[in-house]
């Protein structure tokens, strides 16, 4: 079962409630919320107040993608705001195991995120403790960037690693996912496909989600 998670970063924030209801009605599986702090990444986006507002207009699980320094400080706030899944960037977590535990204690499902140039070997001693791994297929910070082609081999290698260890960790892929590459990304082993501009940049979300899902299952 593959999931599509529209990234609200590409939504019209002046009509956020409407946008979320529209992607839910169009068949989205999760809502992906990109949290950026202007330190770990060169952009500032949203915090727990917005996640709480999102939760009031949808029943879909909210997937909070933290691109922030010192995430430990904010995990409880995001969990209380309604985050069902919370992922943290491995590059921002010197005590990653503790951070992952904090997410679980807060009642959310923990995930770890790897930047494009971060090797899979960094996952060796954390993979069994997380529910999902997010492979960044663009450099984090902005929507609308091109998919980095080497991400395909990275996803394949991660899928192999998960299989070899006998785990059922989910693989999420985020950045530059479009109608024309979602088949290859899915075949490489992605379970959760994040898409921002490929969804919110189109006029008919139902048609777009349908097309993405068809291509994803090729
Ligand atoms: C980038 C974010 C992504 C972004 C994806 O740092 O993590 O979730 O919104 O946007 P698209 O799908 O437009 O590349
Ligand atoms: Zn994201």
């Amino acid at each position: 079962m593959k999931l599509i998670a529209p990234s609200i970063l590409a939504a019209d924030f002046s009509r956020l409630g409407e946008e979320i209801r529209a992607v839910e009605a169009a068949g989205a599986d999760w809502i992906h919320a990109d949290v950026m702090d202007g330190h770990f990444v060169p952009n500032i986006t949203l915090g727990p107040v917005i996640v709480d507002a999102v939760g009031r207009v949808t029943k879909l699980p909210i997937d909070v993608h933290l691109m922030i320094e010192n995430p430990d400080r904010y995990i409880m706030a995001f969990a209380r705001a309604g985050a069902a899944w919370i992922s943290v960037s491995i590059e921002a977590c010197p005590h990653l195991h503790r951070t992952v535990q904090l997410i679980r204690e807060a009642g959310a499902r923990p995930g770890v995120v790897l930047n494009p140039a971060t090797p899979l070997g960094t996952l060796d001693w954390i993979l069994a403790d997380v529910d999902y791994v997010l492979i960044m297929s663009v450099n984090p910070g902005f929507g609308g960037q091109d998919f980095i082609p080497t991400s395909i081999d990275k996803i394949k290698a991660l899928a192999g690693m998960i299989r070899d260890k006998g785990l059922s960790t989910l693989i999420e892929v985020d950045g530059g996912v479009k109608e024309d590459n979602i088949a290859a990304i899915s075949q490489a082993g992605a379970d959760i496909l994040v898409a921002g501009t490929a969804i919110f940049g189109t006029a008919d979300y139902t048609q777009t989600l349908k097309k993405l899902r068809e291509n994803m299952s090729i």
Side-chain angles (χ1 to χ4, degrees):
M1 175 71 180
K2 307 248 175 187
L3 306 175
I4 298 183
S7 161
I8 58 169
L9 189 59
D12 177 350
F13 271 77
S14 69
R15 300 185 298 107
L16 189 57
E18 246 175 83
E19 292 273 71
I20 288 163
R21 285 192 192 97
V23 286
E24 180 168 4
D29 299 297
W30 285 6
I31 297 295
H32 182 85
D34 288 305
V35 178
M36 307 186 189
D37 66 351
H39 291 275
F40 180 67
V41 290
N43 194 7
I44 301 177
T45 55
L46 54 92
V49 172
I50 304 286
V51 171
D52 178 73
V54 170
R56 280 187 272 121
V57 295
T58 185
K59 288 194 169 53
L60 297 180
I62 305 173
D63 174 34
V64 170
H65 175 190
L66 296 180
M67 286 161 274
I68 63 175
E69 285 176 4
N70 198 2
D72 296 21
R73 206 168 147 191
Y74 301 100
I75 282 164
M76 191 50 86
F78 281 105
R80 284 206 180 113
W85 299 73
I86 298 178
S87 62
V88 291
S89 296
I90 204 162
E91 303 84 1
C93 297
H95 305 288
L96 182 60
H97 190 272
R98 177 187 293 153
T99 306
V100 164
Q101 277 179 310
L102 277 176
I103 297 173
R104 240 184 242 293
E105 282 162 21
R109 310 277 298 264
V112 58
V113 188
L114 264 56
N115 273 341
T118 302
L120 293 178
T122 53
L123 292 171
D124 279 349
W125 301 104
I126 198 68
L127 196 56
D129 299 299
V130 295
D131 292 341
Y132 65 130
V133 173
L134 195 173
I135 295 291
M136 283 307 305
S137 43
V138 298
N139 287 293
F142 303 94
Q145 304 181 77
D146 288 340
F147 184 86
I148 298 171
T150 49
S151 311
I152 293 287
D153 284 343
K154 197 174 183 185
I155 298 160
K156 284 184 188 162
L158 173 59
M161 203 170 149
I162 291 168
R163 238 187 345 262
D164 290 349
K165 288 182 189 277
L167 298 169
S168 52
T169 322
L170 298 172
I171 300 178
E172 181 172 33
V173 177
D174 185 5
V177 176
K178 306 268 182 250
E179 277 178 17
D180 63 1
N181 61 13
I182 198 167
I185 300 167
S186 166
Q187 279 161 19
D191 302 292
I192 307 146
L193 290 298
V194 177
T197 45
I199 294 173
F200 289 105
T202 64
D204 184 340
Y205 300 161
T206 305
Q207 273 307 108
T208 306
L209 264 292
K210 187 166 170 268
K211 189 82 189 127
L212 285 170
R213 210 177 285 282
E214 273 169 19
N215 293 0
M216 189 166 76
S217 328
I218 287 171

